[in-house]
Every structure is written in structure tokens, then in C-alpha cells.
Amino acid sequence: MLKFTKIERPSTPREAYELLRSSKTARVMGGGLWMRLQHRAIPCVIDLSACGLDQIEESDDAFVIGAMTPLSALESHADFVRATNGVFTAAVCDIVGPQFRNLATVGGSLYGRFGFSDVLCALLALECEVKFTGAGRMSLADLCEEGYPRDVLERVVVHRRPYQASYKCLRRQATDFPVVNVAAAYWGDEWHVAVGARPCRARLLTGSQLGLESKRPSREELARALEAVRTLPFGSNYLASAAYRRHVAGVLAVRAVCEAAGMEVPAPLEGRFEDEAKALGAEGAEE
């Protein structure tokens, strides 16, 4: 059972930050939906719901998304959906259900850096920054790599780019945690591919790391990208084995890149996928 000794509801991010800094045992609560699954006592919880961080602001060059914005608000935001080629909506549409997404927040999903996070995987492939009260702004990729700052996440900034993007995911059934998820986006004259649910947190690979040199990659480039994705570390859990995840991640990455590029997956590669799946046999999700 999760127990709180005290709940603080500051009215500004700065107040929340000072509360957090004043107590080593204090914890920030966003939507609280994953926190409620824990079994522990927390002496002080800082609830950000009164800090005015639930708005989506638009400018000519970016979307500024408050950390307390519900997933459902962002997935249904027409301008954001158009600007990002629908990649976020595709990523979150199978997260439990509408009632859950009305409560789960964008900031909570990103700050937690959960290995299974569809939100983190989708936004990592776009040009995103996060803004903290104390530490200021940093790229989402840096947040993934550098770890948790003891800070208050205020906003997520998604820059406007002519994104060509696609999200691919494998689940055992709808609303399950993903077995593997992949987001691919072309912007800034380069491909960006995020691979998550390995079951570790998502990792970002760029065009030079993937061997993707053109906007419409050749079969040879896609084959290089396939192998590059499969060099990432993968692990096993109750959902799937490492070998199965490695196979699926490569397949999804190629399909996501091709869909974003508006092209079909070359037939020789599709045939290779089928042969590999047969060779893998029943190893998949039982380990």
C-alpha cells in the first residue's frame, strides 16, 4: 500500500522546487498513476496540480507543453497532431484507456524515464527539450542519458520541424505494456530513431549511427539500420526474451523508417524478417 504522511500543494513551480530542496524525503507527484502501484510510505508528497502547468502553448517555432498536461489533451490537440505527423497519438492510443490518459501526465511519463514508456519513445525521436525550475533547459535525449535531476519539471518544448514520422509498437494485446516500441522521424536532414521497451528506457540513434544517409533510404541503408538497432542491449522479462526483442526491434525500426519516408519495405528485407522469425521459433515471449 502507498501511504503519504503529508501532501503539499504549492501554487508555483518555484514553491514546489523550494519544498523539494528543503526535504530529502520529499517526492514530486505528477498524475500519480504509476506511483500508486508502489508499496511504501512517503513522508512528503508535492502535488503540482495547482501550479498552472496543464496548458499547451503554441508559437511559430514550438509547442510548449506544461508538465501536468494530460496525455489525452496532447493526443487530441489538432495542431500538435498535424505538426508531428500524428506520431504522439499513435504512441499513446493503446495506453490503458481514455480514463487513464485523462489523468496520466506528459511530465510524469517523461521524468520517470520508464523503460516501457510509449510517451518517452515517441517524443525522443522529435526535437524536444525539457525545462526544469532549477536546472533550466536540456534536451530530452540528455535527460535520458544523464539521469534524474532532483528538480521540478515544468514544461516540455517540442520544436516545429517538417517532421516525417512514424511510431511502431508490438504488444501482446491492446492496453498491455509494449514488448518493443520504435519511433522514427526525419528532421534536420537526418533520421532519428528511438528504440524503447528493451525493456530498458528508450535510446536514440541518429542517421550517422544507423547508416541512413538519405531521406528515402536504399535497401542497403535499411539493412545497415537494421543491424545498428540490433546492436543495442536487450533484456528478457515476463513479456519477451532478449532474442525476440532484438529481432522485433530491427523489424519495427525498418518499417517505421519506411512508413515515415512514404515507401514500402523492400521485398528482400521483408522476406528476411519472415525467415528470421521462423528460425527464432518459439523462443519469443516465454522466457
Side-chain angles (χ1 to χ4, degrees):
M1 179 182 295
L2 180 66
K3 297 181 180 180
F4 303 150
T5 303
K6 180 171 63 173
I7 299 178
E8 298 279 3
R9 290 189 175 87
S11 58
T12 68
R14 176 55 62 177
E15 288 178 26
Y17 179 70
E18 295 302 331
L19 284 168
L20 182 65
R21 300 291 289 181
S22 67
S23 171
K24 292 183 178 180
T25 58
R27 296 291 181 269
V28 174
M29 181 172 68
L33 292 170
W34 301 121
M35 181 184 283
R36 70 182 177 83
L37 300 179
Q38 302 175 21
H39 297 278
R40 61 171 176 156
I42 302 176
C44 178
V45 166
I46 302 169
D47 179 1
L48 300 180
S49 60
C51 290
L53 299 177
D54 59 350
Q55 302 297 313
I56 303 171
E57 302 172 8
E58 294 185 56
S59 67
D60 290 340
D61 59 357
F63 291 87
V64 180
I65 303 153
M68 292 295 288
T69 300
L71 301 184
S72 58
L74 193 56
E75 74 172 304
S76 61
H77 192 282
D79 288 345
F80 183 78
V81 171
R82 282 193 296 271
T84 58
N85 209 44
V87 69
F88 185 83
T89 301
V92 303
C93 66
D94 284 324
I95 296 179
V96 185
Q99 296 91 340
F100 186 95
R101 300 196 298 275
N102 285 340
L103 297 173
T105 62
V106 176
S109 299
L110 295 182
Y111 185 81
R113 301 188 311 160
F114 304 114
F116 56 79
S117 178
D118 298 283
V119 177
L120 177 60
C121 184
L123 293 182
L124 189 57
L126 308 179
E127 188 178 6
C128 294
E129 293 179 306
V130 287
K131 182 185 181 298
F132 289 93
T133 303
R137 285 168 72 147
M138 68 173 68
S139 71
L140 181 56
D142 285 344
L143 175 64
C144 282
E145 295 298 325
E146 294 179 9
Y148 300 96
R150 187 166 173 76
D151 211 327
V152 174
L153 176 58
E154 293 185 13
R155 292 174 177 81
V156 180
V157 180
V158 181
H159 295 276
R160 287 184 183 268
R161 297 288 181 264
Y163 295 116
Q164 292 180 226
S166 174
Y167 182 84
K168 297 292 183 183
C169 178
L170 176 68
R171 304 177 195 272
R172 283 187 166 188
Q173 59 185 13
T175 76
D176 260 0
F177 287 137
V179 174
V180 177
N181 52 19
V182 174
Y186 186 85
W187 55 269
D189 296 325
E190 188 175 43
W191 281 100
H192 303 77
V193 175
V195 184
R198 298 175 295 113
C200 313
R201 66 179 179 270
R203 283 278 301 276
L204 180 66
L205 298 174
T206 58
S208 57
Q209 296 168 309
L210 293 161
L212 296 176
E213 300 171 356
S214 54
K215 193 173 183 178
R216 289 177 61 86
S218 66
R219 180 170 60 84
E220 291 73 22
E221 289 176 77
L222 292 170
R224 290 198 296 269
L226 175 76
E227 297 305 328
V229 167
R230 289 179 175 174
T231 62
L232 291 172
F234 291 87
S236 301
N237 63 7
Y238 72 99
L239 287 175
S241 69
Y244 185 73
R245 280 193 166 95
R246 184 172 292 107
H247 164 73
V248 172
V251 174
L252 295 183
V254 170
R255 289 177 177 169
V257 168
C258 287
E259 182 172 276
M263 55 186 282
E264 297 291 330
V265 178
L269 281 180
E270 280 289 8
R272 174 181 172 181
F273 298 158
E274 294 175 4
D275 291 342
E276 288 175 342
K278 290 176 182 177
L280 195 61
E283 183 179 355
E286 302 304 326
E287 200 172 287

